[in-house]
Amino acid sequence: MMQEGLDDGPDFLSEEDRGSTLPNFKQNEFSVVRQHEEFIWLHDSFVENEEYAGYIIPPAPPRPDFDASREKLQKLGEGEGSMTKEEFTKMKQELEAEYLAIFKKTVAMHEVFLCRVAAHPVLRKDLNFHVFLEYNQDLSVRGKNKKEKLEDFFKNVVKSADGVLVAGVKDVDDFFEHEKTFLLEYHNRVKDASAKSDRMIRSHKNAADDINRIASSLYTLGTQDSTDLCKFFLKVSELFEKTRKIEARIAADEDLKLADLLKYYLRESQAAKDLLYRRSRALVDYENANKALDKARAKNRDVLQAETSQQLCCHKFEKISESAKQELIDFKTRRVAAFRKNLVELAELELKHAKGNLQLLQGCLGILKGNT
Amino acid sequence: MLLVTKKFHNKSEFEFMKLFAARNDSFLSADANVELSTDKSGSSARKEPSGPRHASSFTPSPAAMQPTSLEQVQATAEPNPLKTCENLSTNCVMFLSSLGDGMNAYVAYKVSTRTSLPMFRSKVFSVRRRFSDFLGLYEKLSVKQSLHGCIIPPPPEKSVVGMTKVKVGMDDPSSVEFVERRRAALERYLQRVVSHPSLLQDPDVREFLEREDLPRAVNTQALSGAGFLKMINKASDAVNKMTIKMNESDTWFEDKFQEVENEEQQLRKLHVVVDSLVNHRKELCGNTAVFAKSLAMLGNSEDNTALSRALSQLAEVEDKMEQLHQEQAASDFFIFAELLGDYIRLLGAVRGCFDQRMRAWQRWQEAQSTLQKKREAEAKLLWANKPDKLQQAKEEITEWEARVTQYERDFDRIGMTVRKEVLRFEKEKAKDFKSQIIKYLEAMLQSQQRLIKFWEAFLPEAKAIA
C-alpha cells in the first residue's frame, strides 16, 4: 500500500507495507520514505545482477512529470488579470485537481513496480529489495553522475546494435523464435498505440476545458439581467458546468485505463525484449566457448580451461533459457489479465459517464422545454 | 437542401458535411423553411404608434396586417446549366465555371418561396441568386430603412479566401463546408428579412424573391464584413463628434444601448470559446481515427485470440466515437457558433439603428439652430429696413419652421420605431437562442445515447477475454 506524501518536491513518495508475508522481514509493519531515484537504483541493481539475467525485470516507474501542469499554472498566473475572479478561482481549482491526479498516478505506478517485485518468486528475496523496504533512513543513493549516464547510454547503443544482429539469426528453438518475432512487432505497435492514445486524450481534455469556459461565459450572460432568456442561460451554464466535469473524468479514466495500460506494456515488452537479448548474448557466448574448446582440443592446449569455460556458458545459457521460457509465458498471462481488467473497467466507466451525461441532459432539457 | 457529389480526398470531412446536410432540416428550423408572414405573433404584442405614420411607399395596408398562412422561403444551392453532371437531380450542386477564367466562377443559390400573400404573382416560385445579389438587397434596404430606425438584418460576410478556393475548383472538403455554411447563413438572413413585417412590404424584397433576372448588384465591396462594421462605426463616429450632447428625457435609450453593447461583448467572448471547442473537437476526431487504426494493428499482432478480438472490437468502438465526435463538432459549429456569429452581427445592426436616431436628433437640432439664425437675420433686416430681402427672409423662416417641425416629428417617430424594433428583436432573439440551444442539447443527448449503445456492445467482448 502506498500513500502520497506531499513535500517540497513532488518526487517524494512515502511507502508503507503492512503485514508483509515475506518471511525475511524483521518486523511485521513498517514504513519508509523513498524518493524516485531510489526506485531507479533498485531497478538498476536488478538489471545489473547477473543472477537475474533470466527474468523479465519489472520496468522502472517513470519519472514524475509535472512540467505540463507547472506550465499551465504559470500561464494561469500570467493571465490572471484578463479573467473574472470566478473564472480564475475555477481554473485554479482545475489545475490543482490535475496536479493531484498526476501525483496519484505517479504514486500508483511506483506501487505497481514494487508489487511486481514482491510477487516475483526470486526477486522478492533480493537483499536490496529488503533494504529498500526496511532501512528507515536515506539510502544515500546518488543519482548517476554524468560519466555513468554516458556509460549507460553507450551500453544501450551497443545493446540495440547487438540486438539487431542477434535478431537476424534464426533461433533453433521454435518457442523463442516465435516470441522474438512476436515481441518485436508487438513492442512497436504498442509504442504507436500509446503515443496516439495520449494525443487523443489530450484533445479530449482540451475540449472539456473549452466547455468549462463556455459555462463561465454563459453564466456571465445569464447574470446580466433577470429576463427569461437570462434564466435560460443560467440553467444551460449549470448544465455545461456539470457535463464538463464528466467529460474531464472520462478523459482521466481513459488515461488511467487505456493510456497507462499501453505505456506499461510498452515498458514490459521492452523488458521482455531485453531478456531475449540477454539470452541471445548467452547463446553467442556459448557458441564462442564451443569454438574455443574445439580450437583448444585441436591444439591440445588449455583444454581443461576451455572445457570449464564451455560448461559454464552452457549452464548459463540453459538456465536463462529455462527461466526465460517461464517468464515469457507468465508475461503473456499477466498481459491478458491486465488488458481484460482494464478494458472491462474502461467500458464500465465509459458507460457510467455516458449515462450520467444522458441523465443530466434529459433533466435539463425537460426543464428548459417545459418553461418555453 | 444541399448534397454535394464531388469526390473528397479526406473521407472524414466529407462525412462531416454529408451528415450535416442530411440533417439540415432539424438544424435550421422546423422543416428547413423560412416562415414569411406579415403578422402572426407580431401584432398582438405591438402597439400601433399613435403618431403619424411615415409616408413611404411601403406602408403596410390594413389587409396585409391580417395574419396569413405561412410563407416559406428556402435557399438551396443550384446546379449550373452550363456544366452537366451525371446525377442531375434537384439536389445536386456543381460549382459553376464560366467561359472566363476560374476566378469569374460563382455559386448560384436557388431561393424557393411558397406564399399565400396576394402581393406576389404566384403561390410557389423560385429564382436563382448569387451571393452579391444578397449583399445588394442589404444595401438597398439599409439605405431606405435605416433612416426610419429599423433593424436591418446583416448578411453573412464575404470571404475572399473561402470563395477563391471554391472558384479554383478545389476538391477541398473545407470548401464544401464553406459553401454549406454560406448557404445556411444566407437562408437565415433571408428568413430574418421576410419575417420583419415592414421589410417584407418593401418592393426590393419582393423583387429579390420573385424577379427572374435581377440586375447585378455593384459596389458590394463595401459590404464585406469589415465594410459593414465600418458603416456602423462611421455612424457612431458622427454621433460622437456631435457638439451638442443629447438630453435624454427618457433613459430607456441610454440604458438599452449600454445593454446592447455589453451583450455584444459577451457574445464575442463566447464565440471565441465555441470556435475553440469546434477546433478541439475536430482535432479529437482526427486523433481518435488515428488511434483506432493503431489499436487495430495492435490487435492484429496480439497472439492471444480473445484479447486480439477484443482489441479489434475496441478499435471499432473508437472508430464509431470518431463519427460521433464529427457530428458533435458539426453541431457545435452549425448550431452554436453560427448562432453567436449571427447575433453579434445583429447586435451591430441594433447599435446602428440607435445611431440613426441620434442622427435624426442632430438634424433636428441643426435645423433649429439654422432657424434661429434665420430669425436673427430677419430681425437685423427689419432694423436695417430692407423690404425685398425681408420677404425672402420670411420665406426662408417659414421653410425652416416647417423643416424643424418635420425633423422633430421624424425624431419622435424614429424613437418609437427604434423602441418597437428593439422589443421585437429581443423577443426574436430569445426565441432563437432558446430553440437553437435546445436543438444543440438534443443533438448532444442523441450522441450520448449512441455512445451508450457502443460501449454496451463492447463490454461482453471485454469480459470474454480469457
Side-chain angles (χ1 to χ4, degrees):
Chain A
M1 211 197 313
M2 280 173 82
Q3 275 180 338
E4 26 188 278
L6 268 165
D7 206 328
D8 272 335
D11 14 38
F12 242 68
L13 296 151
S14 89
E15 172 258 316
E16 204 174 294
D17 191 314
R18 287 193 189 290
S20 166
T21 55
L22 300 172
N24 309 2
F25 287 102
K26 297 193 195 73
Q27 307 158 249
N28 262 340
E29 279 186 22
F30 37 81
S31 78
V32 292
V33 172
R34 291 284 172 250
Q35 287 195 347
H36 175 73
E37 274 70 32
E38 290 165 323
F39 284 77
I40 300 301
W41 164 80
L42 182 62
H43 170 262
D44 290 348
S45 74
F46 291 153
V47 170
E48 286 157 12
N49 191 332
E50 284 281 327
E51 290 294 304
Y52 302 146
Y55 307 126
I56 296 180
I57 310 295
R63 183 169 189 78
D65 178 22
F66 294 92
D67 288 341
S69 282
R70 260 193 222 116
E71 231 182 84
K72 267 183 167 181
L73 195 62
Q74 199 176 21
K75 263 198 216 145
L76 182 68
E78 287 165 7
E80 184 173 355
S82 67
M83 48 179 102
T84 67
K85 193 159 183 297
E86 293 91 21
E87 273 181 286
F88 180 74
T89 318
K90 201 152 59 124
M91 292 209 75
K92 189 153 155 283
Q93 281 174 347
E94 284 306 300
L95 259 172
E96 282 168 359
E98 198 180 293
Y99 219 81
L100 193 64
I102 296 179
F103 196 85
K104 283 195 171 143
K105 208 161 50 131
T106 307
V107 167
M109 294 206 254
H110 284 70
E111 188 174 52
V112 162
F113 169 69
L114 289 181
C115 290
R116 275 271 279 126
V117 175
H120 194 284
V122 175
L123 292 176
R124 74 213 301 225
K125 300 191 195 126
D126 182 87
L127 184 62
N128 283 336
F129 182 49
H130 289 201
V131 166
F132 180 93
L133 289 177
E134 279 189 307
Y135 187 59
N136 55 11
Q137 301 199 15
D138 194 348
L139 287 176
S140 303
V141 169
R142 63 173 173 77
K144 295 195 167 156
N145 63 25
K146 237 191 237 178
K147 177 162 169 287
E148 286 167 340
K149 281 194 181 147
L150 214 57
E151 282 175 359
D152 269 357
F153 174 72
F154 280 116
K155 245 195 264 174
N156 279 329
V157 170
V158 168
K159 190 161 73 161
S160 45
D162 268 7
V164 170
L165 247 170
V166 165
V169 176
K170 188 160 165 30
D171 205 308
V172 174
D173 188 330
D174 274 343
F175 175 80
F176 284 103
E177 183 56 30
H178 167 82
E179 285 300 307
K180 192 167 63 180
T181 322
F182 164 72
L183 272 174
L184 281 172
E185 192 185 62
Y186 187 81
H187 176 80
N188 287 334
R189 291 188 179 181
V190 135
K191 192 190 232 169
D192 190 56
S194 172
K196 288 171 181 169
S197 76
D198 278 343
R199 247 174 268 152
M200 178 182 80
I201 291 167
R202 175 117 299 277
S203 297
H204 208 146
K205 284 197 182 119
N206 288 339
D209 284 342
D210 285 332
I211 298 178
N212 193 13
R213 286 155 68 199
I214 290 175
S216 298
S217 207
L218 281 173
Y219 180 78
T220 313
L221 272 166
T223 48
Q224 297 288 322
D225 207 337
S226 53
T227 59
D228 256 1
L229 183 59
C230 286
K231 292 200 192 99
F232 186 89
F233 283 149
L234 285 176
K235 200 91 209 32
V236 177
S237 162
E238 198 186 309
L239 170 73
F240 280 159
E241 186 52 55
K242 294 187 184 136
T243 57
R244 77 95 204 150
K245 281 204 176 84
I246 294 184
E247 289 298 320
R249 263 255 62 90
I250 293 175
D253 286 340
E254 284 177 350
D255 199 17
L256 225 54
K257 301 294 170 191
L258 197 50
D260 280 353
L261 175 72
L262 293 170
K263 276 197 201 76
Y264 185 77
Y265 278 93
L266 175 61
R267 296 199 301 275
E268 271 260 14
S269 57
Q270 181 62 49
K273 271 169 63 179
D274 289 345
L275 170 61
L276 279 183
Y277 165 75
R278 289 194 294 270
R279 178 179 167 273
S280 297
R281 269 240 70 94
L283 178 59
V284 167
D285 289 344
Y286 178 31
E287 285 171 350
N288 287 341
N290 272 337
K291 287 191 195 125
L293 179 59
D294 288 340
K295 236 203 268 182
R297 281 193 178 136
K299 289 187 184 158
N300 207 6
R301 256 182 39 187
D302 297 322
V303 173
L304 192 61
Q305 205 177 26
E307 273 179 352
T308 327
S309 170
Q310 189 255 29
Q311 265 172 12
L312 272 170
C313 284
C314 172
H315 176 73
K316 184 172 168 209
F317 173 68
E318 282 173 355
K319 185 169 154 229
I320 288 183
S321 287
E322 191 186 316
S323 64
K325 192 163 195 167
Q326 190 55 48
E327 286 282 306
L328 289 168
I329 291 172
D330 288 344
F331 172 58
K332 193 168 316 252
T333 317
R334 264 201 322 273
R335 183 174 79 244
V336 172
F339 268 81
R340 183 188 191 282
K341 174 171 179 285
N342 278 310
L343 291 183
V344 167
E345 283 173 4
L346 175 70
E348 286 172 346
L349 284 165
E350 293 270 3
L351 270 171
K352 173 176 152 211
H353 294 316
K355 286 180 180 160
N357 255 338
L358 184 67
Q359 217 175 13
L360 278 173
L361 283 163
Q362 280 168 335
C364 186
L365 272 168
I367 296 178
L368 292 177
K369 279 158 118 171
N371 285 345
T372 46
Chain B
M1 237 43 99
L2 170 72
L3 195 65
V4 189
T5 56
K6 279 201 160 207
K7 255 202 296 209
F8 295 95
H9 296 308
N10 182 336
K11 171 196 169 223
S12 62
E13 281 275 13
F14 173 53
E15 298 299 339
F16 174 92
M17 279 322 306
K18 208 170 69 167
L19 55 85
F20 177 70
R23 292 166 68 182
N24 232 345
D25 290 354
S26 54
F27 280 162
L28 291 170
S29 58
D31 48 358
N33 291 325
V34 172
E35 293 171 8
L36 216 166
S37 71
T38 52
D39 207 90
K40 242 181 67 130
S41 51
S43 70
S44 45
R46 212 148 15 109
K47 301 172 193 62
E48 288 298 86
S50 48
R53 306 213 93 235
H54 37 83
S56 45
S57 59
F58 52 86
T59 311
S61 60
M65 290 303 276
Q66 305 299 324
T68 63
S69 54
L70 300 176
E71 183 167 9
Q72 293 154 328
V73 171
Q74 225 177 355
T76 54
E78 233 246 319
N80 163 35
L82 287 181
K83 194 168 182 183
T84 54
C85 90
E86 320 96 295
N87 314 323
L88 190 66
S89 71
T90 54
N91 286 346
C92 185
V93 112
M94 292 290 273
F95 299 126
L96 180 140
S97 63
S98 71
L99 300 167
D101 53 83
M103 289 314 288
N104 289 333
Y106 66 91
V107 177
Y109 299 91
K110 182 177 175 187
V111 178
S112 313
T113 316
R114 205 179 317 166
T115 178
S116 60
L117 290 174
M119 65 188 182
F120 289 99
R121 280 198 296 265
S122 39
K123 289 208 179 349
V124 181
F125 49 90
S126 62
V127 291
R128 247 184 264 141
R129 295 283 175 257
R130 48 186 295 181
F131 182 65
S132 53
D133 295 333
F134 289 82
L135 292 184
L137 175 66
Y138 173 71
E139 189 180 74
K140 289 188 193 137
L141 289 177
S142 319
V143 163
K144 278 188 280 179
Q145 295 280 7
S146 57
L147 294 173
H148 305 281
C150 269
I151 300 172
I152 318 286
E157 292 169 9
K158 267 190 168 193
S159 162
V160 178
V161 175
M163 258 338 264
T164 309
K165 272 190 178 179
V166 165
K167 287 175 191 198
V168 169
M170 281 171 69
D171 272 354
D172 191 338
S174 68
S175 31
V176 171
E177 187 180 317
F178 174 81
V179 171
E180 172 52 30
R181 177 184 181 181
R182 174 166 280 193
R183 187 207 61 80
L186 288 173
E187 190 176 281
R188 291 193 305 272
Y189 163 63
L190 262 190
Q191 164 152 7
R192 289 193 177 107
V193 168
V194 300
S195 49
H196 191 298
S198 314
L199 293 181
L200 175 58
Q201 301 296 324
D202 189 308
D204 281 325
V205 171
R206 250 182 286 153
E207 186 184 63
F208 183 88
L209 292 174
E210 269 191 322
R211 187 167 166 180
E212 275 299 319
D213 285 305
L214 205 62
R216 271 205 61 185
V218 292
N219 291 338
T220 53
Q221 292 94 325
L223 298 170
S224 61
F228 170 69
L229 259 180
K230 236 195 286 179
M231 242 168 57
I232 299 282
N233 291 335
K234 225 169 48 178
S236 301
D237 283 344
V239 168
N240 290 337
K241 287 204 190 91
M242 269 178 12
T243 46
I244 320 160
K245 272 302 157 201
M246 190 171 184
N247 212 355
E248 287 281 13
S249 52
D250 185 354
T251 53
W252 185 92
F253 289 95
E254 245 170 49
D255 294 342
K256 211 32 110 160
F257 189 73
Q258 197 56 53
E259 258 180 57
V260 165
E261 273 193 331
N262 285 346
E263 191 165 18
E264 193 178 331
Q265 211 184 19
Q266 288 305 322
L267 286 184
R268 275 184 200 278
K269 270 200 209 159
L270 182 56
H271 194 200
V272 166
V273 187
V274 173
D275 262 348
S276 172
L277 177 63
V278 171
N279 287 333
H280 283 143
R281 262 230 240 253
K282 283 188 175 168
E283 225 177 67
L284 175 58
C285 196
N287 287 340
T288 308
V290 162
F291 175 61
K293 286 197 186 71
S294 183
L295 208 52
M297 294 284 278
L298 184 64
N300 278 344
S301 59
E302 173 59 61
D303 58 0
N304 175 296
T305 335
L307 178 54
S308 171
R309 193 176 57 236
L311 285 171
S312 304
Q313 298 282 18
L314 185 62
E316 271 180 42
V317 171
E318 293 292 339
D319 235 348
K320 291 185 190 136
M321 302 256 278
E322 185 228 336
Q323 183 72 358
L324 274 185
H325 291 315
Q326 207 164 60
E327 288 174 22
Q328 187 62 56
S331 172
D332 291 341
F333 181 70
F334 282 102
I335 304 183
F336 205 179
E338 289 286 84
L339 172 74
L340 295 171
D342 278 358
Y343 274 92
I344 290 169
R345 276 198 301 277
L346 276 164
L347 285 171
V350 173
R351 273 193 294 126
C353 83
F354 273 84
D355 289 337
Q356 291 299 339
R357 176 175 169 271
M358 291 303 258
R359 275 161 136 207
W361 182 83
Q362 194 177 17
R363 235 175 287 137
W364 175 31
Q365 297 304 308
E366 281 169 3
Q368 276 189 319
S369 93
T370 310
L371 177 63
Q372 181 65 14
K373 286 201 193 86
K374 298 285 178 196
R375 287 200 172 127
E376 283 166 10
E378 187 208 28
K380 278 210 196 95
L381 286 174
L382 260 171
W383 195 78
N385 198 13
K386 292 191 183 153
D388 31 321
K389 285 219 171 103
L390 199 60
Q391 182 55 31
Q392 187 191 356
K394 281 201 196 300
E395 279 169 12
E396 282 181 2
I397 286 177
T398 318
E399 184 199 330
W400 278 93
E401 277 174 346
R403 280 203 194 173
V404 165
T405 316
Q406 177 63 42
Y407 290 164
E408 184 179 2
R409 264 198 227 124
D410 283 348
F411 173 69
D412 284 338
R413 192 192 354 110
I414 221 186
M416 285 190 288
T417 309
V418 166
R419 269 188 121 110
K420 208 167 59 173
E421 285 283 289
V422 166
L423 288 172
R424 182 183 163 271
F425 171 76
E426 284 182 339
K427 266 186 70 184
E428 287 296 307
K429 179 179 67 150
K431 203 165 67 151
D432 232 348
F433 266 86
K434 284 183 187 174
S435 77
Q436 290 296 88
I437 290 182
I438 285 178
K439 258 188 208 107
Y440 181 64
L441 295 180
E442 281 174 342
M444 276 174 76
L445 192 139
Q446 280 173 7
S447 258
Q448 295 302 317
Q449 283 168 331
R450 285 163 67 195
L451 201 59
I452 289 173
K453 283 207 183 69
F454 298 156
W455 288 105
E456 277 177 345
F458 173 71
L459 189 54
E461 288 291 336
K463 288 185 169 162
I465 300 171

